[in-house]
Amino acid sequence: MSLNGNGHASHGNGNGNGLTATGNDYPVPTARAEWIVKRKEEAARTGDTNMSQMHFARKGLITEEMAYIAKLEKLSPEFIRDEVAIGRMIIPANINHPELEPMAIGVGSLCKINANIGNSALTSNVDEELRKLHTAVHYGADTVMDLSTGGDIPMIREQILRHSPVPIGTVPLYEALNRVKRLEDLNIDVYLEVIEEQAKQGVDYFTIHAGVLVEYIPLVAKRITGIVSRGGAIMAQWMTHHHKQNFLYENFDRITEIMAKYDVSYSLGDGLRPGCLADASDEAQFAELKTLGELTRRAWKSDVQVMIEGPGHIPMDQIKLQVDKEVELCDGAPFYVLGPLVTDIAPGYDHITSAIGAAMIGWHGAAMLCYVTPKEHLGLPNEKDVKDGIIAYKIAAHAADVARHRPGARDRDDAISHARYTFDWDKQFALSLDPETARSMHDETLPDDYYKEAAFCSMCGPKFCSMNWSSKVDKFNESEFGLKKPDLTQIVTEQMALRG
Amino acid sequence: MSLNGNGHASHGNGNGNGLTATGNDYPVPTARAEWIVKRKEEAARTGDTNMSQMHFARKGLITEEMAYIAKLEKLSPEFIRDEVAIGRMIIPANINHPELEPMAIGVGSLCKINANIGNSALTSNVDEELRKLHTAVHYGADTVMDLSTGGDIPMIREQILRHSPVPIGTVPLYEALNRVKRLEDLNIDVYLEVIEEQAKQGVDYFTIHAGVLVEYIPLVAKRITGIVSRGGAIMAQWMTHHHKQNFLYENFDRITEIMAKYDVSYSLGDGLRPGCLADASDEAQFAELKTLGELTRRAWKSDVQVMIEGPGHIPMDQIKLQVDKEVELCDGAPFYVLGPLVTDIAPGYDHITSAIGAAMIGWHGAAMLCYVTPKEHLGLPNEKDVKDGIIAYKIAAHAADVARHRPGARDRDDAISHARYTFDWDKQFALSLDPETARSMHDETLPDDYYKEAAFCSMCGPKFCSMNWSSKVDKFNESEFGLKKPDLTQIVTEQMALRG
Ligand code: SF4
Ligand code: SF4
């Protein structure tokens, strides 16, 4: 299966099996290379070097990316343009990432999911990272972050970018720290050097922890888990060492200039996100969020795209508050949240503790959900963990789309339910997020082909299969009252076609 | 590890490892046998044969069971009594189940979880069912339902009852159907015979589908998945065959008489619960719920305890509505819900799709969450599926307790978070829901004992461990501002003691 786009156009449209083609009316991947060439020529002619989608949207233009996304999302191109123009939607699409199949992140489009991959100094290599990328995209990741912190970081990133049809995000601070060796030697020059290099390579969005201000540091003293964001902790340690303000905050406009040139989107990092339930929604968290709002407006002045990173660990009763605060303080910039975990007591199962929070926050309006794998807090995820994380988050994002009543969001549920009720086992498997797993669970007890049309399974057995009895009740309703079951043929056919 | 109570007193108090003793001040299991003997003698003397906890509560008495539960739940005995008296809490505790360690189900106490076990005609045997019971109780099931439909049902049930410290529920209709062979031969006499036998054996609660009325049958015609409750489908088929009203509804008071004698609690079955998102909150579902409310009030007239079963498959935006309706129509009788699944598209992962709904509905006030295993819709769960289902539901119930701000509910989260932040890996594992899994995931990359005190793990590695950097920031906050971290010693010590 190839990852570089051909036959792949569906990770953004709710398909669990990212590599299945959705149709021929989508541009082949080379198309984006052509759009970019044209755009660069135009920039050379006019001297306008701002290449961001927001810049074009604000000039009233509908880019090819916007048109492409409009088709995928079944929305009008004008709507996409207007949402991007006001900053409520972003299209992370570096002009040096021609392999990209454009996608959008915003409350007006389907809820997206991100998968973190990347090695640490202790484990993993480039082949394994490429396998994780493949797994992530195959099961439906909409974007992927390369969080590598060890080994040859630029080489791993280059490989990931050149093989990725989805936007790639990074945290440039990691490479900067590796370059200077000692944390206290970090400085804006090496940072700008790193982001320019990464931007040239084609990274689509950067997590930048510019909102952790020196005056917020005392606010974390009362926390149980202090600062749990790597970037946040690094910047805090730098500030306490130098007794100086965050150099990312101080030099924000210089960073923005580079972002504009390559159209890299900001993912404003939540360096002070809570790392446990006790620390949720505290003064430190919301102080930083307010600063992220200020930075958002500054980036928008230069037509640079922004999304805002969010928690973390949040009890269920505070989840809506998190979205409300973000919308209020950050003027509706897309909210990109990690989990949140709704309890701290289940290491080994944090894909589940966090899928609960993710589904709820997606329903309340978060635009993208960053997955958490079962290995969270315990070690670097492997390929199986990546898969488990992705499936949990496809569930969360889809449940959010259904609960928000996005048009057509429930079609796949209806189709699979119909297949289930009519004992069409093969269709039930095909329409599921993970057909192989569904099939193998069924086949564990009833492997024969014969049972693929059986009006029961091993759960209740033939005599106690409720759906079997229920179909007899349907016959009664039809003969007695002339009442017919709804006809779902069209929805099932459409949904089966989407699954290839 | 023994299942019959000795050393087991903690499944009801939020401990993931059900078989760990919580202390010596709880009665040993034989105690309940003595309470019951005394109570039976009293009944013989007075001629008052109603043995239900509700009956005693309404007479103003605090039973030994109530006192026991008050300690477990850290609530006053008077509160337990008053909640039982008005029907907002039940204590499922058959007088012929002396092995039981009493527990309560109600919005005023901790959120509980139920595990379904039991064979089908196609698979499983008594040894496997006992292993499932053990696994369920070990990981924290608060009640267990034996849904066996094949083989020697009474023998399997006897084994389960005699080994179970938690309340056991059944659906007597299954055994009744097996007895008459042909569905149309079902009748109230065989049904009463079955429930009297099961009540004598010691079953603590019965699911009874008395609310599926003949006039509701046409309402399911417009559904995608018709009737998905086994009991509901059987009763509907019986009614359509005979053109008669539900014989369980017609003979409800005769059933109630038997319930009162042995103190079996009603779990009024939701025969018309939705089996897919499209069918949620429809006319059929709420028509039946209204009838369940009527039956609740009828049972309460005889001082018989009642809980109400609920969905099913429900999109997130309708979950609160489900609780509101139940409280309104059933006068606050405890709500015992299956899931609900918040999407239909993930067979193989329905422990996750449903844990999302379960956590939310628990937060909104459901009293007990019936687990769903990964095998749902695909086959009979095995021991591993039981464990996966239980863990997902311990997460959901605990998250609900935290979100409802039940006193002390967050202590375990705080303790584990503190252990995490201080790199006390052994404590982090010990305080988690599944210590073995957490430990083995950590040890996958860093198995050496040395790493059990390491200030990092393989996720970020030593140079990028945020909590490691954060502890340096703490030192700065202390030296610069005199700000100290909160002292969690007592909470950690208490929580560790609870984990044995
Ligand atoms: S036997 Fe039970 S689980 Fe299997 S198809 Fe029938 S109703 Fe569904
Ligand atoms: S290395 Fe990362 S995941 Fe591991 S303990 Fe440190 S902060 Fe937590």
Side-chain angles (χ1 to χ4, degrees), chain A residues 213-479:
Chain A
L213 301 190
V214 68
E215 54 268 39
Y216 303 155
I217 289 177
L219 301 179
V220 305
K222 54 169 96 83
R223 288 181 159 189
I224 294 180
T225 56
I227 303 178
V228 296
S229 142
R230 292 192 279 204
I234 292 166
M235 289 313 300
Q237 173 60 4
W238 186 92
M239 291 185 278
T240 59
H241 182 89
H242 292 287
H243 285 70
K244 276 195 194 153
Q245 188 54 286
N246 184 330
F247 64 81
L248 302 170
Y249 179 79
E250 301 264 276
N251 295 279
F252 190 74
D253 296 333
R254 293 174 69 187
I255 299 169
T256 302
E257 242 177 79
I258 298 173
M259 308 293 268
K261 221 163 43 170
Y262 300 92
D263 194 13
V264 184
S265 299
Y266 271 113
S267 184
L268 289 175
D270 53 339
L272 300 181
R273 70 168 168 265
C276 64
L277 299 189
D279 298 346
S281 312
D282 71 351
E283 217 186 328
Q285 199 205 339
F286 288 144
E288 181 189 35
L289 189 60
K290 194 159 170 239
T291 301
L292 297 185
E294 179 203 315
L295 295 171
T296 299
R297 289 180 287 276
R298 254 161 77 186
W300 284 351
K301 272 199 192 133
S302 304
D303 297 350
V304 166
Q305 307 188 93
V306 178
M307 61 182 166
I308 306 290
E309 295 187 9
H313 297 232
I314 305 282
M316 283 190 285
D317 59 312
Q318 294 173 29
I319 285 179
K320 184 172 183 301
L321 169 75
Q322 290 282 333
V323 181
D324 292 347
K325 276 277 184 191
E326 192 272 345
V327 171
E328 175 202 328
L329 296 173
C330 302
D331 294 6
F335 201 20
Y336 166 31
V337 295
L338 175 67
L341 287 69
V342 297
T343 170
D344 306 328
I345 68 170
Y349 299 86
D350 280 332
H351 60 313
I352 300 179
T353 63
S354 69
I356 295 169
M360 289 177 69
I361 207 161
W363 167 36
H364 288 300
M368 184 156 77
L369 313 172
C370 179
Y371 86 173
V372 170
T373 78
K375 278 284 170 51
E376 186 76 11
H377 305 113
L378 298 170
L380 195 75
N382 61 27
E383 208 184 324
K384 160 109 174 55
D385 298 317
V386 168
K387 177 183 166 183
D388 286 343
I390 293 280
I391 299 277
Y393 276 68
K394 290 301 283 185
I395 289 169
H398 181 76
D401 287 332
V402 168
R404 285 189 74 86
H405 299 267
R406 297 194 194 283
R410 218 191 57 203
D411 286 356
R412 189 170 176 179
D413 300 85
D414 292 357
I416 200 171
S417 299
H418 182 74
R420 185 169 279 161
Y421 193 69
T422 52
F423 300 105
D424 190 336
W425 292 95
D426 284 326
K427 272 202 187 112
Q428 185 183 162
F429 304 148
L431 290 166
S432 74
L433 277 185
D434 181 2
E436 299 79 20
T437 297
R439 181 183 295 275
S440 76
M441 283 195 179
H442 175 271
D443 289 5
E444 206 177 299
T445 42
L446 301 176
D448 276 16
D449 259 2
Y450 164 77
Y451 293 111
K452 294 301 182 304
E453 285 163 29
F456 63 87
C457 72
S458 72
M459 186 157 191
C460 329
K463 189 168 177 183
F464 284 89
C465 177
S466 58
M467 299 201 307
N468 193 338
W469 290 118
S470 182
S471 64
K472 299 195 171 68
V473 174
D474 292 337
K475 288 199 190 94
F476 171 86
N477 272 334
E478 189 164 352
S479 63

Side-chain angles (χ1 to χ4, degrees), chain B residues 142-157:
Chain B
D142 297 293
T143 80
V144 166
M145 289 194 79
D146 172 16
L147 301 186
S148 290
T149 55
D152 189 347
I153 300 182
M155 185 272 288
I156 292 178
R157 190 173 54 241

Side-chain angles (χ1 to χ4, degrees), chain B residues 62-82:
Chain B
I62 291 170
T63 61
E64 290 89 344
E65 287 85 353
M66 296 174 201
Y68 180 98
I69 289 163
K71 274 196 188 173
L72 270 183
E73 298 267 358
K74 299 195 185 93
L75 295 166
S76 80
E78 292 75 19
F79 175 78
I80 304 288
R81 179 198 59 200
D82 295 349

Side-chain angles (χ1 to χ4, degrees), chain B residues 88-364:
Chain B
R88 198 157 51 198
M89 180 182 282
I90 69 166
I91 299 175
N94 187 311
I95 53 161
N96 291 337
H97 188 195
E99 299 85 353
L100 183 75
E101 294 175 14
M103 53 78 73
I105 302 167
V107 71
S109 60
L110 288 167
C111 187
K112 304 304 189 298
I113 68 169
N114 171 70
N116 290 336
I117 61 170
N119 71 357
S120 73
L122 294 175
T123 182
S124 157
N125 54 46
V126 67
D127 289 339
E128 193 168 339
E129 294 315 316
L130 283 178
R131 273 198 303 277
K132 288 185 199 167
L133 170 69
H134 186 103
T135 298
V137 175
H138 175 72
Y139 285 103
D142 297 293
T143 80
V144 166
M145 289 194 79
D146 172 16
L147 301 186
S148 290
T149 55
D152 189 347
I153 300 182
M155 185 272 288
I156 292 178
R157 190 173 54 241
E158 177 67 20
Q159 287 299 311
I160 288 175
L161 275 165
R162 300 292 77 83
H163 288 87
S164 177
V166 303
I168 296 295
T170 64
V171 185
L173 192 62
Y174 301 166
E175 193 177 347
L177 178 54
N178 266 358
R179 229 171 257 198
V180 297
K181 312 283 182 231
R182 288 190 319 172
L183 187 146
E184 50 270 35
D185 297 338
L186 277 169
N187 61 76
I188 187 63
D189 297 321
V190 70
Y191 191 87
L192 292 174
E193 190 182 290
V194 166
I195 65 167
E196 181 106 32
E197 283 176 29
Q198 295 200 9
K200 267 194 192 135
Q201 259 186 324
V203 174
D204 302 287
Y205 62 90
F206 289 149
T207 292
I208 296 187
H209 298 92
V212 193
L213 302 191
V214 69
E215 54 267 39
Y216 302 155
I217 289 176
L219 301 179
V220 305
K222 54 169 96 82
R223 288 182 158 187
I224 294 181
T225 55
I227 304 178
V228 295
S229 142
R230 293 192 278 203
I234 292 166
M235 290 312 301
Q237 172 60 5
W238 186 91
M239 291 185 279
T240 59
H241 182 89
H242 292 286
H243 286 70
K244 276 195 194 153
Q245 188 54 286
N246 184 329
F247 64 81
L248 301 172
Y249 179 79
E250 302 264 277
N251 295 279
F252 190 73
D253 297 332
R254 293 174 69 187
I255 298 169
T256 302
E257 241 177 82
I258 298 172
M259 308 293 267
K261 224 166 34 170
Y262 300 92
D263 194 12
V264 184
S265 299
Y266 272 113
S267 183
L268 289 176
D270 54 338
L272 300 181
R273 69 167 169 268
C276 64
L277 299 188
D279 298 345
S281 311
D282 71 350
E283 216 186 330
Q285 198 204 342
F286 288 143
E288 181 189 34
L289 188 60
K290 194 159 171 241
T291 301
L292 298 186
E294 178 204 315
L295 295 172
T296 299
R297 289 180 286 276
R298 255 163 76 187
W300 283 351
K301 271 197 193 135
S302 305
D303 298 349
V304 165
Q305 306 188 94
V306 178
M307 61 182 167
I308 305 290
E309 295 187 8
H313 297 233
I314 305 283
M316 282 190 286
D317 59 310
Q318 293 173 29
I319 286 179
K320 186 173 181 301
L321 170 75
Q322 289 283 332
V323 182
D324 292 347
K325 276 276 184 192
E326 191 271 346
V327 171
E328 176 202 328
L329 296 174
C330 302
D331 293 5
F335 200 21
Y336 166 32
V337 295
L338 175 67
L341 287 70
V342 296
T343 170
D344 306 327
I345 68 170
Y349 299 87
D350 280 332
H351 60 313
I352 301 180
T353 64
S354 69
I356 295 169
M360 290 177 69
I361 207 161
W363 168 36
H364 288 300

Side-chain angles (χ1 to χ4, degrees), chain A residues 51-351:
Chain A
M51 301 298 275
S52 93
Q53 295 285 327
M54 187 181 221
H55 189 59
F56 296 119
R58 286 178 166 186
K59 289 200 288 190
L61 296 173
I62 290 170
T63 62
E64 291 89 344
E65 287 84 354
M66 295 173 201
Y68 180 98
I69 289 163
K71 275 197 188 173
L72 271 182
E73 298 267 358
K74 299 195 184 95
L75 295 165
S76 81
E78 292 74 19
F79 175 78
I80 303 288
R81 179 198 58 202
D82 296 349
E83 290 289 293
V84 170
I86 61 164
R88 199 159 49 200
M89 180 181 282
I90 70 167
I91 299 175
N94 187 314
I95 53 161
N96 291 337
H97 188 195
E99 299 85 354
L100 183 76
E101 293 174 16
M103 53 78 73
I105 302 167
V107 71
S109 60
L110 288 168
C111 187
K112 304 304 189 297
I113 68 168
N114 171 71
N116 291 337
I117 62 170
N119 71 358
S120 72
L122 294 175
T123 182
S124 158
N125 55 47
V126 65
D127 288 340
E128 192 167 340
E129 294 315 315
L130 284 178
R131 273 198 303 276
K132 287 185 200 168
L133 170 68
H134 186 103
T135 298
V137 175
H138 175 72
Y139 286 102
D142 297 294
T143 80
V144 167
M145 288 194 80
D146 172 17
L147 301 185
S148 290
T149 54
D152 188 348
I153 300 182
M155 185 272 288
I156 292 178
R157 189 174 53 241
E158 177 68 20
Q159 287 299 312
I160 288 175
L161 275 165
R162 299 294 74 86
H163 288 87
S164 177
V166 303
I168 297 295
T170 64
V171 185
L173 193 61
Y174 301 166
E175 192 177 347
L177 178 53
N178 267 357
R179 228 171 257 198
V180 296
K181 311 285 182 228
R182 288 189 319 171
L183 187 146
E184 49 271 35
D185 296 338
L186 277 169
N187 61 75
I188 187 64
D189 297 321
V190 70
Y191 191 87
L192 292 174
E193 190 182 291
V194 166
I195 65 168
E196 181 107 33
E197 283 177 30
Q198 294 200 10
K200 265 193 192 136
Q201 259 187 323
V203 174
D204 302 287
Y205 62 90
F206 288 149
T207 292
I208 296 186
H209 299 91
V212 192
L213 301 190
V214 68
E215 54 268 39
Y216 303 155
I217 289 177
L219 301 179
V220 305
K222 54 169 96 83
R223 288 181 159 189
I224 294 180
T225 56
I227 303 178
V228 296
S229 142
R230 292 192 279 204
I234 292 166
M235 289 313 300
Q237 173 60 4
W238 186 92
M239 291 185 278
T240 59
H241 182 89
H242 292 287
H243 285 70
K244 276 195 194 153
Q245 188 54 286
N246 184 330
F247 64 81
L248 302 170
Y249 179 79
E250 301 264 276
N251 295 279
F252 190 74
D253 296 333
R254 293 174 69 187
I255 299 169
T256 302
E257 242 177 79
I258 298 173
M259 308 293 268
K261 221 163 43 170
Y262 300 92
D263 194 13
V264 184
S265 299
Y266 271 113
S267 184
L268 289 175
D270 53 339
L272 300 181
R273 70 168 168 265
C276 64
L277 299 189
D279 298 346
S281 312
D282 71 351
E283 217 186 328
Q285 199 205 339
F286 288 144
E288 181 189 35
L289 189 60
K290 194 159 170 239
T291 301
L292 297 185
E294 179 203 315
L295 295 171
T296 299
R297 289 180 287 276
R298 254 161 77 186
W300 284 351
K301 272 199 192 133
S302 304
D303 297 350
V304 166
Q305 307 188 93
V306 178
M307 61 182 166
I308 306 290
E309 295 187 9
H313 297 232
I314 305 282
M316 283 190 285
D317 59 312
Q318 294 173 29
I319 285 179
K320 184 172 183 301
L321 169 75
Q322 290 282 333
V323 181
D324 292 347
K325 276 277 184 191
E326 192 272 345
V327 171
E328 175 202 328
L329 296 173
C330 302
D331 294 6
F335 201 20
Y336 166 31
V337 295
L338 175 67
L341 287 69
V342 297
T343 170
D344 306 328
I345 68 170
Y349 299 86
D350 280 332
H351 60 313

